[in-house]
Amino acid sequence: MEFKVLNKQGAETGRTVKLNDTIFGITPNDHAIYLDVKQYLANQRQGTHKTKDRTEIHRSTRKLFRQKGTGGARHGSLKSGIYVGGARIHGPKPRDYSFKLNKKLKRLARLSALTYKAQNMSIVVVEDFEMSTPKTSEFAGFLKAINVTGRSLFVTADLQKNLVLSGRNIQGNTVLRASDINTYEVMKAHKLILTEKSIAKIEEAHSK
């Protein structure tokens, strides 16, 4: 599959890039994508949520009324979860939500996500460029020039601090190195913006 290469001003350069079918043209595996995204989101959770159980509630432990003969349910103390200010019954406790996935499955998920973007023509290829200073307005003008709106993922070959600083203040935009892309970020983006060198980096990393 071929894509036209645009410059920073959004004009065609006259060059095209042919994407590797073994990376951008596989048979997508939806379940692999589901598992990889699930793992990514689970790993972001702090797992610090906590509620108090009966042993941690400081209230009187006296028996409220006699055990039998009242015609109502028996109650031991105000610590019971049915009372306002009482304990939480089976409440959450700190835990680790992360889990492991095989490298091959995670690779399959990334390739599936990239394939979907290629099939939906949601990839924009631009020539490599750098920014001398961080400037959000300049980066916003670049996105407007290449007709990209909504959530986007801009992928560079290497870490470019000025590009990261310029793009992070734009809502819905993410800037990542080719080595740092993941299934979640690729699937979340409406448009995937790739530089020419980043394509080479992606193909090099996933062709092994």
Side-chain angles (χ1 to χ4, degrees):
M1 188 176 295
E2 289 188 348
F3 288 84
K4 296 179 180 179
V5 180
L6 307 179
N7 60 21
K8 188 178 178 181
Q9 289 72 36
E12 295 182 8
T13 61
R15 303 192 308 274
T16 59
V17 170
K18 184 175 177 60
L19 300 182
N20 191 334
D21 287 340
T22 61
I23 297 173
F24 294 89
I26 70 168
T27 302
N29 189 309
D30 292 343
H31 190 61
I33 292 176
Y34 161 74
L35 290 175
D36 200 12
V37 170
K38 181 180 178 181
Q39 185 205 41
Y40 179 87
L41 294 176
N43 290 347
Q44 308 306 306
R45 299 185 68 173
Q46 290 183 329
T48 55
H49 42 17
K50 173 73 170 67
T51 57
K52 291 184 178 181
D53 58 30
R54 294 185 64 153
T55 63
E56 298 169 309
I57 295 293
H58 296 288
R59 302 191 77 177
S60 172
T61 58
R62 73 177 181 85
K63 191 167 179 61
L64 302 179
F65 43 79
R66 61 182 181 171
Q67 181 84 344
K68 297 178 181 295
T70 64
R74 56 193 177 184
H75 294 292
S77 74
L78 289 172
K79 289 186 177 184
S80 173
I82 68 172
Y83 290 114
V84 175
R88 175 73 180 272
I89 302 171
H90 302 303
K93 295 184 178 181
R95 56 169 288 193
D96 181 11
Y97 285 89
S98 64
F99 61 93
K100 293 183 179 181
L101 289 177
N102 293 333
K103 289 183 179 179
K104 288 184 178 180
L105 187 143
K106 292 177 68 66
R107 178 180 182 274
L108 174 61
R110 285 194 299 274
L111 299 187
S112 297
L114 292 171
T115 296
Y116 273 128
K117 293 302 178 188
Q119 289 178 350
N120 297 332
M121 301 302 291
S122 297
I123 294 178
V124 179
V125 181
V126 298
E127 63 182 4
D128 297 278
F129 69 92
E130 297 181 359
M131 296 181 66
S132 56
T133 57
K135 199 166 185 181
T136 301
S137 60
E138 184 178 341
F139 195 91
F142 158 71
L143 293 178
K144 184 177 181 180
I146 62 175
N147 197 28
V148 170
T149 58
R151 291 195 296 268
S152 60
L153 174 61
F154 183 76
V155 184
T156 60
D158 301 300
L159 178 62
Q160 296 191 34
K161 187 176 180 180
N162 290 335
L163 278 173
V164 174
L165 294 175
S166 300
R168 69 181 182 180
N169 287 334
I170 300 177
Q171 186 176 5
N173 176 260
T174 304
V175 181
L176 290 176
R177 293 181 299 177
S179 58
D180 294 334
I181 63 171
N182 57 73
T183 306
Y184 174 78
E185 292 293 349
V186 173
M187 293 301 296
K188 184 180 74 171
H190 296 159
K191 287 288 185 179
L192 180 61
I193 308 169
L194 304 175
T195 63
E196 291 181 277
K197 288 184 179 179
S198 72
I199 294 175
K201 288 275 187 179
I202 293 172
E203 293 181 348
E204 178 184 355
H206 293 84
S207 60
K208 298 177 182 179

